């Protein structure tokens, strides 16, 4: 327990009033939280006097008395005003309190007729939604959209720009609600195992509790809401793909991308592959009339960049299974790679993504005793290309920052981590005893454990809260799979724990579980010189997407 948390000696005010057994957790009582009640805390309560003033003519009078006087003097005006519905002529959404998100029927129920003139001005986009759906859409627009890019600035997040389109597109609306509801479930649920970041996590829980209370929450049905919204989104998707045309194909692809995003928030296992296969078929149309765009819109460029990154990284544990190509030949891949390195939240440099794309042409040779000279030369060329990549030069000369305030030093650090991880990825095409990998040979280009050390060192210089901290999972996984040091393994899990504390995406927990399984297998086969963790991961039968 952190030093700034002091355990309370008495129950919270809400539990004391209801005669519940308080768990006395900080900063809010978990019993109150899960019951949907607002925790009143453990300190002194501020009790407001009913009167509107302590002295003068208004002393002892309540707001109801004041309103009654006004009603007597202006009854006919109030009666006329109560029949009119206020309109937002400017079309601007104004800040709302908890009561603002109640329906007009809830507002007037049990209140006097003259209070009806205080109906809220609600954004037409959400006026027909319930309070929970409004909060989920708010959560998606304010938090999840920011997680999907490196730098979230005006005009730089095409996914957020899609939010207004939900008014006429139920597919986009439901898949956004599903993502947000599942993410809320991750935030509000207790972790399966203790975490050293538990105190900070509770502070984040307080922030969530404060924002959702404006909408009448917290909501205890977020997981069920996520599944219901996902099912409705799947139903709309099946209808939409039957009538693909140039006007809706980008919206359909955006929805499929959000389905993959949903699977990452959930666990990153298996289901994403189906959506990726479907997206591949639609993307094949984009290079042909009438679907092609010249110049390409920012939305389409964003979608193709994200799909390409997921397509590449999705092959990390599925070596060359399935199609080896995502984009048709009529679409230039270089602008897509440049957009991905700048805006995709994984921030993998374009030259390294290019190396991984070229590695798809290689066969899997780890179980082959005799490696053809031609193939070994191809692997050596790819490794040399990756090793020749200069992260500092890339960050300071070739890279196009998404914001003038970007920390290019941190970009160089995460690029260095990706560089070492890509070398591990390419090297694992070969058996462990290959001369390009085995240190006892003078021709060895890389040391797998040395590459793991390089990944961990560079990521250790990036702290939670940095914009690129969300990029650490994929390189950390490859480093952890090659790590032989127990202290380093514990530190890798600690870093992943910190990333979970920042994002609350389920695939991070899945990566921790897979790494622990890999280390268990390694202990069983530690006497084997040519042990390869990839074989054991394949035996798990899991299509894992590590982002």
């Amino acid at each position: 327990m952190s030093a700034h948390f002091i355990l309370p000696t008495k129950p919270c005010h809400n539990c004391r009033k209801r005669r519940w057994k308080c768990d006395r957790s900080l900063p809010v009582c978990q019993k109150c939280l899960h019951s949907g009640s607002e925790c009143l805390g453990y300190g002194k309560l501020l009790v407001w006097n009913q009167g509107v003033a302590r002295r003068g003519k208004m002393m002892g009078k309540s707001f109801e008395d004041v309103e009654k006087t006004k009603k007597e003097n202006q009854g006919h005006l109030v009666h006329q005003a109560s029949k009119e519905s206020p309109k937002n002529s400017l079309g601007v959404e104004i800040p709302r309190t908890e009561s603002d998100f109640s329906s007009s029927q809830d507002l007037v129920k049990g209140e006097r007729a003259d209070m009806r003139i205080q109906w809220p001005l609600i954004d037409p986009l959400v006026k027909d939604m319930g309070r929970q759906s409004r909060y989920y859409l708010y959560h998606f627009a304010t938090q999840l959209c920011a997680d999907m890019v490196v730098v979230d600035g005006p005009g730089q997040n095409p996914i957020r720009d899609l939010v207004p389109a939900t008014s006429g597109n139920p597919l986009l609306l439901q898949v956004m609600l599903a993502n947000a509801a599942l993410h809320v479930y991750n935030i509000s649920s207790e972790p399966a195992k203790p975490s050293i970041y538990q105190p900070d996590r509770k502070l984040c829980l307080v922030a969530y509790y404060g924002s959702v209370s404006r909408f009448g929450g917290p909501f205890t049905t977020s997981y069920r809401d996520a599944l219901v919204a996902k099912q409705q989104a799947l139903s709309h998707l099946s209808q939409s793909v039957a009538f693909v045309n140039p006007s809706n194909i980008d919206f359909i692809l955006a929805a499929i991308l959000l389905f993959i995003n949903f699977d990452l928030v959930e666990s990153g296992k298996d289901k994403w592959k189906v959506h990726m296969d479907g997206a591949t078929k639609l993307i094949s149309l984009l290079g042909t009339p009438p679907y092609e765009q010249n110049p390409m819109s920012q939305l389409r460029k964003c979608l193709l960049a994200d799909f390409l990154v997921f397509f590449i990284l999705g092959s990390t544990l599925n070596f060359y299974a399935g199609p080896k190509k995502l984009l048709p030949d009529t679409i230039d891949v270089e602008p897509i790679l440049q957009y991905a390195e700048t805006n995709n939240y994984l921030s993998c440099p374009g030259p390294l993504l290019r190396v991984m794309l070229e590695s798809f042409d290689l066969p899997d040779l780890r179980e082959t005793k005799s490696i053809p000279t031609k193939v070994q030369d191809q692997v050596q060329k790819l490794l040399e290309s990756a090793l020749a990549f200069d992260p500092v030069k890339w960050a300071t000369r070739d890279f196009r920052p998404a914001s003038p305030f970007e920390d290019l030093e941190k970009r160089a650090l995460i690029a260095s981590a990706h560089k070492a991880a890509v070398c591990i990825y390419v090297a694992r095409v070969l058996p462990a005893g290959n001369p390009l990998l085995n240190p006892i040979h003078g021709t060895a280009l890389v040391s797998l454990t040395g590459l793991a050390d390089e990944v961990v060192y560079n990521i250790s210089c990036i702290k939670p809260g940095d914009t690129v901290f969300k990029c650490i999972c994929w390189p950390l996984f490859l480093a952890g799979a090659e790590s032989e040091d127990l202290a380093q393994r514990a530190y890798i899990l600690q870093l992943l724990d910190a990333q979970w504390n920042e994002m609350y995406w389920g695939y991070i927990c899945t990566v921790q579980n897979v790494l622990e399984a890999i280390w268990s297998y390694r202990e069983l086969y530690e006497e084997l010189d040519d042990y390869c963790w990839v074989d054991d991961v394949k035996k798990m039968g899991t299509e894992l997407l590590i982002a």
Side-chain angles (χ1 to χ4, degrees):
M1 176 81 55
S2 178
H4 60 275
F5 281 90
I6 302 176
L7 290 176
T9 58
K10 296 181 180 180
C12 72
H13 295 288
N14 196 34
C15 288
R16 191 183 312 172
K17 180 180 178 181
R18 300 192 179 198
R19 297 185 178 181
W20 290 348
K21 184 177 180 180
C22 182
D23 60 13
R24 302 183 186 181
S25 57
L26 286 173
V28 292
C29 168
Q30 296 296 310
K31 181 165 291 187
C32 293
L33 179 64
H34 292 303
S35 68
S37 303
E38 180 179 2
C39 183
L40 301 178
Y42 307 93
K44 292 183 179 180
L45 284 177
L46 294 177
V47 181
W48 297 98
N49 192 354
Q50 188 178 10
V52 297
R54 297 180 59 187
R55 58 173 65 95
K57 292 189 296 183
M58 305 304 295
M59 181 176 63
K61 292 186 178 182
S62 67
F63 284 104
E64 294 180 355
D65 296 331
V66 175
E67 291 296 328
K68 184 177 181 180
T69 303
K70 289 183 179 179
K71 180 180 178 181
E72 292 174 352
N73 295 334
Q74 303 177 358
H76 64 286
L77 295 177
V78 173
H79 179 71
Q80 182 178 358
S82 65
K83 297 181 179 180
E84 299 177 356
S85 298
K87 297 179 181 179
N88 185 353
S89 59
L90 297 177
V92 179
E93 183 181 359
I94 61 175
R96 299 181 287 275
T97 62
E98 176 182 348
S99 61
D100 292 338
F101 294 92
S102 302
S103 65
S104 58
Q105 294 179 353
D106 293 336
L107 271 172
V108 302
K109 184 178 180 181
E111 299 188 18
R112 302 190 323 262
D114 60 307
M115 295 299 292
R116 297 179 188 176
I117 63 173
Q118 299 185 19
W119 284 344
L121 303 180
I122 299 178
D123 191 326
L125 177 65
V126 298
K127 66 182 179 65
D128 296 325
M129 297 183 190
R131 289 180 297 173
Q132 289 183 234
S133 295
R134 290 177 188 173
Y135 176 72
Y136 292 145
L137 192 60
Y138 164 82
H139 185 83
F140 180 86
T142 57
Q143 185 158 341
L144 273 178
C145 282
D147 289 342
M148 297 177 69
V149 294
V150 178
V151 179
D152 184 33
Q156 294 178 316
N157 197 336
I159 301 299
R160 178 182 283 111
D161 294 340
L162 285 175
V163 172
T166 57
S167 61
N169 194 314
L171 169 59
L172 280 177
L173 174 62
Q174 294 301 325
V175 74
M176 287 180 184
L177 295 181
N179 273 266
L182 185 62
H183 194 242
V184 167
Y185 172 77
N186 288 350
I187 293 175
S188 57
S189 300
E190 286 297 312
K193 53 186 178 181
S195 164
I196 65 170
Y197 290 91
Q198 183 66 14
D200 292 334
R201 184 178 187 276
K202 286 192 174 183
L203 290 176
C204 182
L205 192 61
V206 173
Y208 154 71
Y209 189 83
S211 65
V212 75
S213 63
R214 295 168 45 211
F215 295 79
F219 306 117
T220 58
T221 59
S222 54
Y223 187 70
R224 179 179 65 84
D225 295 339
L227 297 182
V228 171
K230 179 185 178 183
Q231 185 59 40
Q232 294 182 5
L234 287 172
S235 177
H236 290 301
L237 179 62
S238 64
Q239 299 173 18
S240 299
V241 295
F243 301 97
V244 178
N245 57 66
S247 64
N248 68 4
I249 190 169
D250 286 340
F251 291 130
I252 296 175
L253 283 172
I256 295 176
L257 180 65
L258 291 177
F259 274 112
I260 296 177
N261 207 71
F262 181 94
D263 295 331
L264 286 171
V265 176
E266 184 178 33
S267 67
K269 294 190 293 187
D270 300 323
K271 303 172 188 175
W272 67 272
K273 192 71 167 53
V274 176
H275 299 304
M276 181 62 73
D277 292 341
T280 302
K281 295 178 181 179
L282 288 180
I283 291 173
S284 65
L285 299 175
L286 299 183
T288 61
Y291 298 97
E292 58 185 351
Q293 291 180 349
N294 191 17
M296 188 177 295
S297 68
Q298 186 182 21
L299 172 60
R300 179 170 293 187
K301 195 178 294 184
C302 169
L303 296 174
L304 292 181
D306 287 355
F307 276 121
L308 185 59
V309 171
F310 290 149
F311 177 80
I312 293 173
L313 300 188
S315 301
T316 302
L317 301 182
N318 306 284
F319 282 75
Y320 321 117
K324 300 180 180 180
K325 193 172 186 179
L326 177 71
L327 302 179
D329 293 333
T330 51
I331 295 181
D332 187 6
V333 71
E334 288 303 323
I336 308 300
L337 293 176
Q338 290 178 3
Y339 188 93
E341 69 180 8
T342 300
N343 296 278
N344 181 273
Y345 76 92
L346 300 175
S347 188
C348 187
L352 297 178
L353 290 173
R354 167 67 77 178
V355 170
M356 296 180 69
L357 278 174
E358 293 176 358
S359 72
F360 288 175
D361 295 329
L362 296 172
D364 188 356
L365 303 174
R366 287 173 294 100
E367 298 181 1
T368 304
K369 294 182 179 180
S370 177
I371 306 298
T373 303
K374 180 180 178 180
V375 174
Q376 183 162 309
D377 291 342
Q378 289 177 303
V379 175
Q380 181 174 350
K381 182 179 178 181
L382 290 174
L383 284 174
E384 289 174 345
S385 297
L387 292 170
F389 173 73
D390 187 340
V392 176
K393 178 183 176 182
W394 169 80
T396 55
R397 298 183 185 179
D398 304 328
F399 175 67
R400 301 175 183 176
S403 166
F405 304 103
E406 270 209 77
D407 190 336
L408 297 182
E409 181 181 353
K410 297 295 173 63
R411 282 277 195 171
L413 287 170
I414 195 64
S416 298
H418 278 299
K419 170 185 174 180
V422 168
C423 289
I424 294 174
Y425 174 80
V426 174
R428 273 308 181 185
V429 176
L430 301 171
N434 188 273
L436 294 178
L437 308 180
N438 197 328
I440 66 174
H441 296 279
T443 56
L445 285 178
V446 295
S447 165
L448 294 175
T449 54
L451 292 171
D453 295 340
E454 186 177 345
V455 170
V456 174
Y457 170 75
N458 284 285
I459 291 180
S460 68
C461 300
I462 303 172
K463 305 302 179 184
D466 292 336
T467 55
V468 295
F469 191 74
K470 65 185 76 173
C471 317
I472 67 173
C473 192
W474 185 77
L476 267 185
F477 169 78
L478 290 172
E482 299 295 344
S483 177
E484 298 178 355
D485 182 74
L486 295 180
Q488 186 181 71
R489 291 178 181 180
Y491 182 61
I492 289 173
L493 292 180
Q494 180 180 333
L495 288 171
L496 292 172
D497 208 13
Q499 188 187 23
W500 163 261
N501 186 56
E502 291 280 308
M503 297 182 65
Y504 298 100
W505 287 37
Y507 77 91
I508 301 171
C509 299
T510 301
V511 167
Q512 290 178 306
N513 295 334
V514 173
L515 282 178
E516 289 174 342
I518 290 173
W519 297 332
S520 298
Y521 284 127
R522 173 164 289 185
E523 291 177 1
L524 295 176
Y525 305 115
E526 60 182 352
E527 70 280 358
L528 299 178
D529 295 332
D530 57 348
Y531 168 77
C532 180
W533 53 267
V534 176
D535 299 325
D536 290 321
V537 173
K538 281 191 171 184
K539 293 176 184 177
M540 298 178 188
T542 299
E543 297 278 0
L544 182 61
L545 175 59
I546 303 175

